[in-house]
């Protein structure tokens, strides 16, 4: 096992070195992250330092796109860079027409957005650590608070509409009252927080971490106290199933764990060695019956109730982002080596490619619309000194891969 882990490490290290020579900084970062943590030595630290030296600033870009429930509007933050980086934009998904712009009061990129359950308000987190809430009917700013000191790594609106949870690079998780922006509590950790998500009953917040030794936690929304630590080295943010019955978490060694609630606490139902390297993405379908995870080499899909693997998708390269179709046995993935998006049908014995769409710039995230008709794909911008690339957002027809609209420019 140690010899295999070493070979995996050397392959990722060689790929990272090659990507750095080609100035593909996104691929360099992903290859370095995929290196097994127990094998990382001086050569890994040398490459990481070289990347930091070559790239003065990698823009965080916008987080996973948000569709409205009807799938007709798309919301994204910080798209395009430059004069538009401090704005949140809302488009008509099919036509690409810009419907609304919401501007942050200070300069600096907007990073994360979260939509209220009634879709009347939108929260946005900026690179300077400020949090803003807007009224979507009037586009007026309701409040702005400055309670963080660093960039946002996660933002979530509670299903009951009362709370907004934040994960920040300053190593804190905080919960704010949506009504007035009042900070309810803060939890400080030893490492930066990767992201947050609410349980379906709005009583708990889950937080995950980039550091392998920090376990994912569940925090009481009412008290701010840690009510449970999931016995799993965290890498990917714990994900709640839409029905609130399950939590999935992935770690840096390639294991995925499923947790089920008994009404009082979460009990581990299954721990599954999905891959040999870090889990990069997790997603439930709308019914919570399927769970997909990705890593270097491909995607695996799990039947949640039976806790059985039902599909293996061999992509032959790193799959950094995925999204499950809300109702069908289909998954959309970003295939790193080809800079493209594929839709695979895992209901078949051989999960063949049924849709493929090539992109000229690396994709940061993909997301099916709630009705499964569209796929949103957002590119990752990189800044070289004073010069930066743009961050286009594209809407693809899920059945054909045809790009129906583009927001921003390449």
């Amino acid at each position: 096992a140690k010899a295999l882990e070493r070979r995996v490490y050397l392959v990722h290290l060689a790929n990272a070195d090659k990507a750095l020579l080609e100035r593909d900084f996104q691929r360099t970062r992903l290859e370095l992250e995929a290196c097994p943590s127990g094998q990382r030595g001086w050569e890994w630290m040398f490459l990481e330092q070289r990347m930091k030296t070559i790239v003065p600033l990698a823009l965080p870009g916008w987080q996973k796109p948000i569709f409205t429930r009807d799938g007709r509007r798309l919301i994204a933050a910080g798209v395009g860079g430059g004069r538009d980086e401090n704005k949140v934009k809302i488009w008509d998904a099919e036509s690409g027409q810009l419907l609304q712009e919401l501007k942050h009061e200070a300069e600096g990129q907007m990073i994360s957005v979260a939509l209220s359950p009634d879709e009347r308000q939108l929260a946005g987190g900026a690179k300077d650590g400020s949090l803003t809430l807007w009224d979507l009917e009037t586009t007026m700013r309701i409040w702005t608070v400055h309670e963080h000191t660093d960039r946002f790594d996660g933002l979530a609106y509670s299903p009951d509409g009362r709370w907004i949870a934040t994960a920040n690079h300053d190593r804190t998780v905080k919960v704010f009252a949506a009504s007035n922006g009042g900070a309810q509590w803060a939890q400080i950790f030893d490492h930066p927080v990767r992201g947050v998500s609410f349980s379906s009953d709005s009583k708990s917040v889950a937080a995950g971490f980039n550091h392998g030794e920090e376990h994912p936690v569940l925090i009481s929304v009412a008290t701010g106290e840690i009510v449970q630590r999931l016995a799993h080295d965290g890498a990917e943010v714990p994900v709640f199933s839409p029905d609130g019955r399950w939590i999935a978490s992935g770690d840096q060694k390639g294991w995925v764990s499923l947790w089920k609630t008994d009404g009082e606490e979460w009990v581990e139902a299954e721990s599954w060695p999905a891959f040999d390297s870090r889990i990069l993405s997790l997603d439930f379908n709308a019914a919570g019956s399927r769970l997909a995870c990705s890593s270097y080499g491909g995607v695996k899909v799990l039947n949640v109730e039976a806790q059985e693997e039902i599909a293996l998708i061999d992509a032959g390269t790193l799959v950094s982002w995925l999204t499950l179709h809300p109702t069908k046995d289909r998954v959309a993935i970003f295939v790193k080596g080809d800079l493209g998006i594929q839709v695979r049908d895992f209901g078949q014995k051989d999960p063949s490619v049924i849709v493929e769409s090539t992109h000229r710039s690396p994709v940061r995230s993909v997301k099916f619309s709630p009705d499964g008709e569209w796929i949103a794909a957002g590119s990752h911008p990189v800044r070289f000194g004073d010069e930066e690339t743009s961050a286009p957002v594209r809407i693809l027809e899920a059945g054909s891969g045809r790009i129906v609209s583009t927001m921003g420019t390449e």
Side-chain angles (χ1 to χ4, degrees), residues 30 52 74 98 102 205 216 236 251 298 301 339 344 367 401:
L30 290 171
K52 289 179 179 177
L74 182 82
L98 181 63
L102 308 172
V205 171
E236 183 61 29
D251 71 12
V301 184
L339 294 182
R344 300 283 193 113
K367 187 66 178 175

Side-chain angles (χ1 to χ4, degrees), residues 222-274:
T223 66
E225 296 179 356
I226 295 175
V227 294
Q228 191 172 348
R229 291 185 183 272
L230 304 182
H232 196 194
D233 294 341
E236 183 61 29
V237 181
V239 178
F240 286 99
S241 64
D243 60 8
R245 297 173 55 218
W246 301 91
I247 293 176
S249 63
D251 71 12
Q252 297 194 5
K253 297 176 182 178
W255 285 68
V256 172
S257 287
L258 269 175
W259 306 76
K260 190 173 184 178
T261 184
D262 62 2
E264 297 294 329
E265 64 176 359
W266 292 86
V267 179
E268 187 171 9
E270 181 69 24
S271 194
W272 172 47

